[in-house]
Structure formats: structure tokens, C-alpha cells
Amino acid sequence: MSETAQQSPHHIDVKEFHPRAQAAIHNPKIRQNFRKAMDGLMTKRKSAFEGWDLETLRDLGANIRLRALANLPDLLEQLEQKLTENGIKVHWAVDSDDACQIVRDICVARDAKSVIKGKSMVSEEMELNHYLEEQGITALESDLGEYIVQLAGETPSHIIMPAIHKNTGEISELMHEKTGTDLSHDVEYLTTAARLQLREKFMNADVGVSGVNFAVAETGTLCLVENEGNGRMTTTVPPCHIAVTGIEKVVPNLEDVTALMALLTRSATGQHITTYFNMISGPRKPDEMDGPEEVHLVLVDNGRSSIYQDNELLDTLRCIRCGACMNHCPVYTRVGGHTYGTTYPGPIGKILMPHLIGLDEGRHLPTASSLCGACGEVCPVKIPIPDLLVRLRQESVDGDKLHPAKVNGHGAKRGAMEAMVWKGWSWMHARPGAYRFGTNMAARFRKLQPGKIGGWTQFRTAPKLASKTLHERMKERGQ
């Protein structure tokens, strides 16, 4: 975990997943809020894809992402060259701390005191707001959901809908307490009030910070998808725009974006098309009326290069951040996003975060799944999430801690007793005589079997050994 994240007031101990999950399960308001929201999103997604050959579109999306990742080093070089030609300054960040310092240096060079932010999960990954506050620079979220969780002093609980854990009444009370708006269940009134509060901030901000959905290498274009217009305001009103994104977001050309856009909006919110689609190709030209004087792009690695080196785990980088896997996950729906204690919750967080924070820190994430497969079935770019979860579970109990090509912190959940049991199991199955003797003894002395078997019997009945072995039963049947 980065130094910035460790110092953040929002830092949550990821290892305490189970106590938070228990608390969430016994909180009826949390369960009701998420159940209602997830049911609605699943219905909208299903309706949005009606009439489409969804599997063919998913194959196309997966192939586009695979092709982009296969050529990622070359595409990143091409992207940097085109962006530079367009007048956009490109910065490379090794990790979150490095990325935060780059943003700070740009702000300091412009004597900036205030930053307005569009929605960006990479900036959440960087803990950018907290870092800038420490540097004396005010950072204000302009996405409505992000604005609400910032007012509440919380982190997003969903990558697309940050305040989805709150109902209208809770948001009304929060805005009344923090901004003085009237108490109301009228969503339009609350939205208008937030818009008016933010409007002045846009006009006075020194720097705008946004994320990037897709970076097009062929043209040097930064694509930004949003519904509220805050993204366009953030990238055009302040005199300086800083875009931050992970290095995996690059695609070869604009044609690739069309298929990914069709998948992204339908999978995320059930929309046929997003309200705003911004294509940023450079700073304001001398003959243009508006736009920023400077545009910067910060390309953040933060562990992604490590993922890229493993042919299986590489699939994690296909993600287009639609959140469909969360919306369909039975675990996420019941415990909510804050339970995970990570920037990216739900299924995508369970396969991405162990790379960013290490399996020793995120040891419970790969097992926080029923492996029902729903996440893999709805993923628009066909990430084999269940397979990757199984791989990370194997990594978490791996005994070779010095293996250089595996996930950082692997072997964190390895227990001496469990390892000994499995070694004994392996030894016995390799020796038929020992196997027959062992199973015979187990059947004869089955009454000595303990009634409690660790975590297995915490919520289940202990399995009972049969009175006769399979070989004995088959022998009785004359086979």
C-alpha cells in the first residue's frame, strides 16, 4: 500500500473484511439499499441489450481489449507521441505516490489553490484528495455521487455509483446538515441544489482533474464518458486540465472505442448511450473561444506492469470499469462496497486489489466469493473472473514465497496444519495399500469423528463418514 493511502483518514484495514461483512449482513438498511439498487441495474442492463447479439458483441469487446494489451508497450509509445504532437504533456507515474507528486508539481507551478475533480477511480486509487489537502490545495468532487460521499467523509461504495449505499432520505439529511438545503425527498430539488453549489466552484477552480475511459493511440485522443456534464466542465472551464489514468486504458484506434462504448454504458447503467461523450485532443488553440491553456496526462502504473507479466493474470487488465460484475454479485449485493475496505470493491476488486496492495494485505479478497460465476457471465469483455479468483486462492496458500513471477504476498494464508493435511492426503493417494488401510480405519472409527471442523461447520453440518468404504460396497455388489 502506498504511503499516501496509509496516511489517509479513509484508510480501512482490509484484513478486517469478515467483521465488516457480519455487520453489513445484520444491517437491514444497507441490505435494502443495495438490493433495490442492484435489482434495478440488472433489469436495466437486460433491457438495454434486448435485440442485440450480446455474445458476439462481448467477443468483439474481449478481442479488442486482448489485442490492445498484446501491443500495450508499442501503443503507449504511440499514444505519448501523438499526445505530445497535440500539445498534451505526458507524465509517467510508477505508483500512487509518484502520481500524486506529479499532480502537485503541476498545481504548484501554476500557483493553484483549488482543484475541481471529475469522476476518476484512479485518483481514488491514488488518494489524491487527501494528498492535495495536505499540500494546502482544496480538491472538490463534482460528480454528484462523489460529491455526496465527500460531504459524508466516506469513500465510494461502487465504481459507477459512489453513493449507492445511501437512500434519498439519507442524502437529504446529509445535504441539509452540510450545505443548508431544505429537507426533501424530491430528487430533482436535491440535484438542482447540488448543481448550484458546484457551479461557482467550476468557475473559480485553478485546475480540473478527470479520469479517462479510453486513450486512443492512433489519434492521441482522451475519451471521457459521463452523464452529468461535470466532466465536460472539469476539462474545459479551469485553465489547466490534468487527466489521470491507468496504463491499460489505451486502445489502438477510434473504431475500437465504438464497440467498447456500446458495451460500457449498457453494462454499467443500462443506458443505450451516455449523455456526454468527451473527446479531448489538446489544449485550447489560439483561434478557439474556450478550453484549458494546458492539458496533462498522468499515466499510472501502480502494479499494472507486474500483472502484465503473467499470461493468466493479464486478463485482469481487460476491465473497462462498467461495474456489471458488482451489480450481479450475490456477495457484493449483501455486504456493500465499504465492507471490502478497498478502492475497487466487488469481483473486479477481488482480482485487482491483491496486485495493488499484496495478498498479505488482501488475503481475504479472493475467498470473498461463492464462485457462482455470475461475474464472469456478465462481464462485457469476458474476463474469466472465477478462474482468476481460483488462481489467487492458490497463490494465497502457495508455499514458495521466493517465486519471482507470482503475486506479491503470496503464501500469506498458508497454514502449517492445512499444509500437513494435504501432504498426508497426497502421500496416501499415491500408495494404494496405505489408502485402503486409511479409509478402512476411518470407516471403522467414524464415531470418533469430531463434530466441529473449523470454519466448515460454522454455518454447515459436519459431513459423516460412511460405515463402509466404496471398495467394500462394490465388492458386496459383486463388482
Side-chain angles (χ1 to χ4, degrees):
M1 181 172 291
S2 72
E3 183 180 344
T4 305
Q6 287 178 324
Q7 295 171 346
S8 168
H10 301 307
H11 174 61
I12 301 173
D13 188 352
V14 182
K15 295 176 185 173
E16 297 299 313
F17 172 85
H18 290 292
R20 286 194 298 272
Q22 285 292 330
I25 287 171
H26 292 93
N27 185 330
K29 185 176 287 186
I30 287 287
R31 294 194 61 174
Q32 184 181 18
N33 290 350
F34 275 93
R35 181 76 272 171
K36 181 180 178 182
M38 297 301 108
D39 285 350
L41 288 169
M42 287 191 290
T43 302
K44 287 181 179 178
R45 174 189 176 274
K46 185 178 180 182
S47 175
F49 280 116
E50 283 182 359
W52 285 70
D53 185 349
L54 179 55
E55 288 309 302
T56 300
L57 186 59
R58 290 177 70 214
D59 284 336
L60 178 59
N63 288 331
I64 289 172
R65 292 300 297 137
L66 285 170
R67 180 162 52 88
L69 291 172
N71 299 291
L72 185 60
D74 293 336
L75 289 176
L76 285 169
E77 287 186 7
Q78 184 183 8
L79 176 68
E80 182 180 25
Q81 179 186 345
K82 289 295 179 183
L83 288 170
T84 303
E85 290 174 3
N86 292 345
I88 297 176
K89 298 177 182 176
V90 180
H91 309 264
W92 299 84
V94 175
D95 54 27
S96 293
D97 291 333
D98 194 20
C100 283
Q101 289 169 15
I102 291 170
V103 175
R104 180 204 58 185
D105 290 346
I106 297 170
C107 291
V108 169
R110 297 188 61 86
D111 195 25
K113 301 299 181 187
S114 63
V115 167
I116 190 96
K117 283 184 65 221
K119 193 171 185 316
S120 164
M121 287 309 297
V122 173
S123 72
E124 295 288 341
E125 186 181 317
M126 296 159 52
E127 297 272 7
L128 181 60
N129 289 2
H130 168 65
Y131 180 84
L132 291 178
E133 292 288 346
E134 280 195 337
Q135 305 301 314
I137 301 170
T138 303
L140 180 68
E141 298 286 349
S142 64
D143 174 88
L144 181 57
E146 294 275 1
Y147 180 58
I148 291 168
V149 296
Q150 189 177 29
L151 285 177
E154 299 174 344
T155 55
S157 59
H158 191 286
I159 63 171
I160 299 298
M161 288 146 288
I164 203 168
H165 56 293
K166 293 185 180 298
N167 58 36
T168 306
E170 292 170 310
I171 293 171
S172 175
E173 291 176 7
L174 176 68
M175 292 185 64
H176 175 69
E177 178 188 348
K178 299 290 185 180
T179 68
T181 56
D182 295 334
L183 289 172
S184 172
H185 283 242
D186 184 344
V187 175
E188 187 173 346
Y189 165 75
L190 295 173
T191 305
T192 302
R195 182 175 290 123
L196 291 173
Q197 292 160 13
L198 289 168
R199 181 68 60 173
E200 183 183 347
K201 304 294 183 183
F202 279 116
M203 305 309 294
N204 295 326
D206 299 310
V207 172
V209 174
S210 77
V212 176
N213 290 96
F214 309 109
V216 182
E218 184 182 50
T219 58
T221 306
L222 307 178
C223 302
L224 180 61
V225 178
E226 44 127 357
N227 279 317
E228 301 171 13
N230 68 302
R232 183 158 299 178
M233 295 279 284
T234 299
T235 58
T236 56
V237 177
C240 176
H241 170 217
I242 305 172
V244 294
T245 187
I247 58 173
E248 79 280 15
K249 292 292 185 69
V250 63
V251 294
N253 52 57
L254 281 171
E255 188 178 357
D256 292 332
V257 175
T258 56
L260 295 176
M261 270 288 291
L263 285 163
L264 175 61
T265 56
R266 288 173 172 82
S267 300
T269 54
Q271 291 176 273
H272 293 277
I273 189 168
T274 187
T275 308
Y276 293 88
F277 180 63
N278 305 285
M279 300 172 71
I280 302 157
S281 56
R284 182 175 61 195
K285 303 291 189 301
D287 58 342
E288 292 178 337
M289 297 291 291
D290 53 21
E293 301 163 359
E294 290 181 20
V295 179
H296 300 260
L297 174 67
V298 183
L299 287 163
V300 183
D301 186 317
N302 203 28
R304 289 165 174 81
S305 292
S306 176
I307 303 174
Y308 189 74
Q309 295 173 27
D310 188 294
N311 289 334
E312 183 181 14
L313 299 175
L314 170 66
D315 289 334
T316 307
L317 299 179
R318 287 192 221 170
C319 182
I320 57 174
R321 303 289 190 269
C322 68
C325 58
M326 299 178 193
N327 305 343
H328 292 75
C329 175
V331 177
Y332 175 87
T333 303
R334 283 158 181 78
V335 302
H338 289 156
T339 297
Y340 296 84
T342 53
T343 304
Y344 303 95
I348 185 60
K350 286 180 281 192
I351 61 171
L352 178 60
M353 290 307 300
H355 300 283
L356 305 187
I357 63 177
L359 269 172
D360 45 355
E361 184 76 14
R363 66 186 65 180
H364 298 304
L365 296 176
T367 51
S369 168
S370 64
L371 293 182
C372 67
C375 50
E377 289 181 10
V378 300
C379 177
V381 289
K382 292 195 167 182
I383 300 174
I385 296 176
D387 294 341
L388 297 179
L389 286 171
V390 171
R391 164 70 187 278
L392 290 171
R393 290 182 183 190
Q394 293 171 345
E395 294 265 343
S396 67
V397 295
D398 186 355
D400 183 5
K401 293 188 176 182
L402 299 178
H403 198 293
K406 296 186 178 180
V407 182
N408 185 32
H410 62 95
K413 289 189 72 175
R414 184 177 179 82
M417 177 62 74
E418 184 177 354
M420 186 176 70
V421 168
W422 284 114
K423 279 186 178 178
W425 180 271
S426 175
W427 181 88
M428 194 170 75
H429 278 69
R431 293 163 178 81
Y435 178 82
R436 283 194 296 273
F437 177 79
T439 52
N440 276 327
M441 290 299 102
R444 301 294 175 268
F445 296 100
R446 67 186 185 282
K447 291 184 179 179
L448 299 177
Q449 177 188 346
K452 301 291 184 183
I453 313 176
W456 180 263
T457 51
Q458 189 174 358
F459 301 104
R460 307 177 184 87
T461 303
K464 293 182 179 179
L465 293 168
S467 59
K468 296 179 181 178
T469 68
L470 176 63
H471 287 277
E472 288 175 331
R473 290 178 181 275
M474 297 302 288
K475 193 173 183 179
E476 287 178 356
R477 293 171 61 177
Q479 297 180 15

